Amino acid sequence: MENEYLERVLELLPDIAKRARDTEEARRVPEETIRALTGAGVFRMLQPARYGGSESDPVHFYEIVRAISGACGSTGWVTSVLGVHPWHVALFDDRAQAEVWGENPDMLISSSYAPIGSMNRVAGGYEISGTWRFSSGVDYTGWAVLGGMLLSDTGAPIDTTTLLVPRSDYEVRDIWDSVGLRGTGSNEIVVERAFVPDHRVMRNFEFSQLRGPGQAVNTSPLYRIPFATVFTSAIAAPVLGVVSGCYESYLAAMRDRVRLSLGGGRFADDPFAQVMIGRASSEIDASILQMDRNVRALMAAASSGREVPMQLRLRARRDQVLATERALDAMDKLFKTAGGHSLERGNLIERAWRDAHAGGVHVANEADRALALYGRGAFGLPVEDNMV
């Protein structure tokens, strides 16, 4: 099936690329870019149709993210993060969905999933306080999905949770100043004694069981695939897009370059450079193909009504973390062989190198933990983890 959003986004890419350096300097995506992406319907791709969304194939969403990331890594990252949250909100109680989108279907939601906030049980819900960091694109959002730790009466951890909180209940502090993905505006959220009703609280155990109260009203198979796959793919996709876009820029820049050292000659005639291109391009292609294959397989399982196999869920996580690892390896090959020109500030290759590696440090891209889970499953051992 053809990606109906791709043509719209391709028209936006030249302007997004032109703004890439300004995006870095401002440390946030320009408002005109957010407006353009909103107008193109990108942020509603995974949103329920009941609230104006298109319930698109998630493979198409990740394709859009990769395309945007190739023009500007920061814009692609923000697009992916803000664009995946409607899928998550769709799993909440419909009362929460109505609060978020009832008056404005274009309402954007940011997040900070680390369970660092305090949660005190009160009548009808919880009182929460805390400081959550790394909330990408938060300047443009009216709601936030925040992580919390649910404790027993004795203070022992029971489960991690996610809580939906409106902008009126938190403060945004401008602290983002990073080496890569500088334009994502990943500032911090501060909450002081805000009330969160029960219908805006979900235990992460429910997500790991592929359950959510929102499934009662949002019946598409899209909302019955694993949170772990949907979310982590949204973190890997910008990295793949940055590296893929850099690869194309690299070919254009190096095709006619003449070396002034190492015997001179055209760079493109160097057989070692040709081998590197072959390796790097294959790693990028293989990563995208594997991730897309897994998401399609998960959608097919959900569409059939049968239980989504744990081995498939583990495979999706395995291939997602390795996709990021492979992309970063390809990025390093490109950067290393581009020569001194790649060191110039603002150069497309050096910015891509910084952005890709910044995305790579996200916990969702932590390879060893995900691979260990896959290994447990392959050996027939029980796997209990919310990120599968």
Side-chain angles (χ1 to χ4, degrees):
M1 185 170 60
E2 188 174 337
N3 189 344
E4 62 179 294
Y5 288 90
L6 190 56
E7 186 174 346
R8 304 180 203 172
V9 168
L10 290 177
E11 293 178 357
L12 303 178
L13 294 187
D15 285 338
I16 290 174
K18 288 178 185 176
R19 299 180 191 129
R21 186 153 190 170
D22 289 341
T23 299
E24 270 215 327
E25 298 301 330
R27 296 180 294 112
R28 56 183 280 173
V29 176
E31 291 185 16
E32 55 264 44
T33 298
I34 297 295
R35 286 197 300 268
L37 292 171
T38 299
V42 171
F43 296 121
R44 289 206 217 174
M45 288 182 70
L46 302 183
Q47 188 165 316
R50 300 169 56 254
Y51 290 106
S54 59
E55 298 185 5
S56 299
D57 185 336
V59 170
H60 290 173
F61 174 69
Y62 301 131
E63 182 181 20
I64 293 296
V65 168
R66 292 195 303 267
I68 295 170
S69 301
C72 173
S74 290
T75 302
W77 182 274
V78 169
T79 300
S80 196
V81 171
L82 298 189
V84 79
H85 291 148
W87 180 91
H88 190 179
V89 172
L91 298 180
F92 278 77
D93 187 291
D94 191 39
R95 288 171 291 177
Q97 298 177 51
E99 287 176 289
V100 174
W101 293 311
E103 295 183 3
N104 180 12
D106 284 321
M107 177 65 69
L108 299 177
I109 310 108
S110 67
S111 70
S112 183
Y113 284 98
I116 57 177
S118 66
M119 295 176 60
N120 297 313
R121 184 68 185 171
V122 295
Y126 294 88
E127 183 182 82
I128 71 167
S129 297
T131 299
W132 287 262
R133 301 190 66 191
F134 311 124
S135 188
S136 299
V138 66
D139 290 330
Y140 298 110
T141 63
W143 286 77
V145 180
L146 303 177
M149 183 65 72
L150 190 62
L151 303 178
S152 69
D153 293 337
T154 63
I158 298 175
D159 194 7
T160 53
T161 64
T162 50
L163 310 101
L164 265 172
V165 182
R167 184 61 174 262
S168 58
D169 286 347
Y170 61 83
E171 173 192 357
V172 176
R173 290 180 182 168
D174 185 354
I175 64 163
W176 184 247
D177 189 5
S178 62
V179 68
L181 295 176
R182 286 182 55 78
T184 60
S186 301
N187 292 308
E188 70 178 19
I189 289 174
V190 181
V191 179
E192 294 185 9
R193 302 185 64 181
F195 172 69
V196 183
D198 285 326
H199 68 267
R200 284 200 257 122
V201 181
M202 281 195 67
R203 291 180 60 177
N204 290 354
F205 177 76
E206 291 186 81
F207 297 139
S208 68
Q209 300 299 305
L210 310 189
R211 297 198 308 261
Q215 292 172 339
V217 290
N218 299 319
T219 59
S220 166
L222 173 63
Y223 304 112
R224 295 199 300 275
I225 60 177
F227 168 86
T229 300
V230 176
F231 178 75
T232 61
S233 296
I235 298 302
V239 178
L240 290 173
V242 166
V243 177
S244 183
C246 181
Y247 172 78
E248 296 300 329
S249 298
Y250 179 97
L251 289 179
M254 304 299 286
R255 185 174 286 113
D256 297 319
R257 181 164 294 174
V258 176
R259 280 178 165 158
L260 301 179
S261 59
L262 299 177
R266 293 175 69 241
F267 179 86
D269 292 329
D270 183 346
F272 295 102
Q274 295 162 0
V275 168
M276 184 278 296
I277 286 295
R279 291 186 183 280
S281 61
S282 181
E283 295 288 13
I284 296 167
D285 286 350
S287 298
I288 293 171
L289 287 169
Q290 281 190 300
M291 287 185 61
D292 286 354
R293 175 194 68 163
N294 292 332
V295 174
R296 289 192 178 101
L298 287 165
M299 283 291 291
S303 298
S304 72
R306 68 180 188 272
E307 183 180 355
V308 177
M310 176 56 72
Q311 198 60 27
L312 176 55
R313 295 167 64 175
L314 289 166
R315 190 182 81 187
R317 278 289 279 138
R318 177 199 71 184
D319 293 342
Q320 171 258 314
V321 294
L322 288 179
T324 301
E325 195 171 87
R326 288 169 173 166
L328 293 178
D329 181 62
M331 183 71 252
D332 288 345
K333 285 181 169 64
L334 298 175
F335 183 78
K336 185 176 180 179
T337 58
H341 293 282
S342 65
L343 299 176
E344 296 174 0
R345 180 80 166 82
N347 179 283
L348 290 175
I349 294 174
E350 72 87 21
R351 183 167 62 234
W353 187 89
R354 288 187 288 106
D355 286 346
H357 279 278
V361 303
H362 193 286
V363 66
N365 288 321
E366 186 178 308
D368 288 350
R369 186 178 302 277
L371 296 178
L373 291 172
Y374 181 86
R376 285 186 63 84
F379 280 125
L381 300 174
V383 177
E384 298 179 1
D385 193 285
N386 289 338
M387 288 306 293
V388 173

